[in-house]
Amino acid sequence: MDIQAERNWIHQEIDKVNDPSFVDKLKHLLLSINSTSEATTIDYNIDIEKALESIKNGHYYNENEAREISKKWGRK
């Protein structure tokens, strides 16, 4: 397929999507591809702030819990 045919196909497939989570992820992907490094830095800093807030609220795993979770990934 040529690039225009590929783009048309992508547009058609996106029009079928009803999953808000997928749309959000696609949006972030497109933003990251099209953004400047400044926007990427801002997003990075926002993610860090969210992670720190999550830790303050007690949403984290201790070392043993993290090891158990990682075992489920197939690593030992």
Side-chain angles (χ1 to χ4, degrees):
M1 278 189 205
D2 63 54
I3 189 71
Q4 189 57 46
E6 293 283 355
R7 291 175 63 193
N8 289 339
W9 179 83
I10 291 169
H11 282 279
Q12 290 172 355
E13 293 303 308
I14 289 172
D15 287 342
K16 296 176 188 176
V17 174
N18 291 318
D19 179 359
S21 175
F22 176 81
V23 172
D24 189 51
K25 289 174 184 169
L26 182 58
K27 177 182 172 183
H28 286 296
L29 172 65
L30 293 171
L31 287 171
S32 70
I33 290 169
N34 296 322
S35 69
T36 65
S37 61
E38 180 181 340
T40 302
T41 301
I42 291 168
D43 290 338
Y44 176 76
N45 289 336
I46 290 170
D47 286 345
I48 289 173
E49 290 298 322
K50 286 180 182 177
L52 291 172
E53 187 65 29
S54 184
I55 291 167
K56 278 188 208 176
N57 292 327
H59 302 162
Y60 58 87
Y61 298 105
N62 66 36
E63 183 179 353
N64 290 332
E65 292 169 326
R67 287 182 190 276
E68 289 301 313
I69 292 168
S70 70
K71 286 178 185 178
K72 294 176 184 175
W73 297 339
R75 297 180 185 163
K76 295 183 180 180

